[in-house]
């Protein structure tokens, strides 16, 4: 009888290419060795796109409160707009993404926090957030902070930009 750990890498890659997102997630739960192999190899972009689309249409996604997505490049940070808390990574952060998220978060009474890491910041992102940020610096570089009114008079939306991340936070006013 064959041991799962003895399957050659090229055969495992073929299995991953033929698997959908949910199948890959099941394989990841089999053992640490297989999970590490899958994380190192990363499935093809077609599988990832199909998997994310399948997930976004599921009832679990629509009812989820928290999301952390790091092993995939998110095509649009707007996928985080329905969560209470979310963290993720995208390649390009565009002004239209920021404007959409700002609008969604300002109108979402359940929103608490969203942290987005990005590789490239497109021109116009700061303008899409709003005018007159507070500008300062810390050990990590320059920091900009916007404080925006929300529909709840007891809360404000805090948008903070520091090196390679945007953090949005809903804060209770004292």
């Amino acid at each position: 009888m064959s041991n799962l750990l003895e399957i050659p890498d090229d055969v495992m890659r073929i299995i991953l290419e033929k698997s959908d997102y949910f199948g890959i997630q099941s394989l990841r739960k089999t053992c640490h060795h297989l999970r590490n192999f899958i994380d190192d190899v990363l499935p093809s972009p077609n599988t990832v796109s199909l998997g994310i689309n399948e997930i976004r249409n599921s009832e679990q996604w629509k009812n989820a409160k928290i999301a952390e997505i790091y092993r995939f490049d998110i095509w649009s940070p707007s996928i985080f707009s329905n969560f209470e808390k979310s963290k993720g990574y995208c390649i390009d952060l565009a002004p239209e993404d920021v404007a959409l998220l700002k609008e969604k978060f300002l109108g979402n009474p359940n929103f608490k926090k969203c942290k987005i890491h990005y590789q490239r910041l497109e021109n116009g992102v700061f303008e899409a957030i709003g005018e007159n940020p507070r500008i300062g610096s810390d050990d990590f570089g320059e920091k900009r902070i916007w404080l925006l009114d929300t529909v709840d008079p007891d809360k404000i939306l805090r948008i903070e930009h520091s090196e390679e991340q945007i953090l949005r936070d809903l804060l209770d006013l004292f």
Side-chain angles (χ1 to χ4, degrees), residues 1-171:
M1 179 161 73
S2 245
N3 184 335
L4 182 62
L5 300 177
E6 295 172 358
I7 296 176
D9 289 355
D10 56 337
V11 173
M12 282 304 302
R13 284 185 182 91
I14 292 169
I15 291 170
L16 291 175
E17 287 174 10
K18 304 276 185 202
S19 299
D20 66 4
Y21 176 81
F22 295 107
I24 291 170
Q25 294 310 305
S26 292
L27 287 170
R28 286 185 82 249
K29 294 177 185 177
T30 305
C31 67
H32 289 286
H33 174 77
L34 195 50
R35 183 188 67 215
N36 293 338
F37 177 82
I38 291 169
D39 288 348
D40 290 342
V41 170
L42 287 180
S44 72
N46 292 340
T47 304
V48 172
S49 295
L50 179 60
I52 294 292
N53 287 332
E54 289 174 14
I55 291 170
R56 285 185 74 184
N57 292 326
S58 71
E59 285 303 311
Q60 291 91 342
W61 180 271
K62 293 173 185 171
N63 295 323
K65 295 184 185 316
I66 298 172
E68 289 191 31
I69 304 174
Y70 279 108
R71 297 290 297 175
F72 303 109
D73 297 334
I74 303 304
W75 60 95
S76 172
S78 65
I79 68 167
F80 294 122
S81 63
N82 63 307
F83 296 105
E84 286 181 13
K85 296 180 182 179
S86 57
K87 295 179 185 177
Y89 176 83
C90 65
I91 298 292
D92 295 309
L93 189 59
E96 52 273 10
D97 294 325
V98 172
L100 176 65
L101 283 173
K102 181 178 108 175
E103 179 184 325
K104 296 270 188 178
F105 292 150
L106 285 171
N108 181 350
N110 298 318
F111 171 72
K112 290 188 172 65
K113 188 176 208 171
C114 176
K115 187 173 191 174
I116 300 171
H117 295 270
Y118 59 87
Q119 188 171 339
R120 289 183 295 271
L121 189 66
E122 293 184 8
N123 290 332
V125 166
F126 296 144
E127 293 79 9
I129 297 172
E131 296 179 10
N132 304 320
R134 296 176 184 181
I135 299 177
S137 62
D138 59 18
D139 294 340
F140 303 106
E142 183 180 88
K143 184 181 286 190
R144 297 172 191 229
I145 299 173
W146 291 262
L147 300 173
L148 306 169
D149 292 328
T150 67
V151 292
D152 183 342
D154 296 328
K155 297 186 182 215
I156 58 170
L157 177 64
R158 176 177 171 257
I159 301 177
E160 176 182 316
H161 174 267
S162 59
E163 296 299 312
E164 297 203 11
Q165 73 179 17
I166 286 191
L167 174 65
R168 293 175 172 78
D169 234 338
L170 194 60
L171 302 175

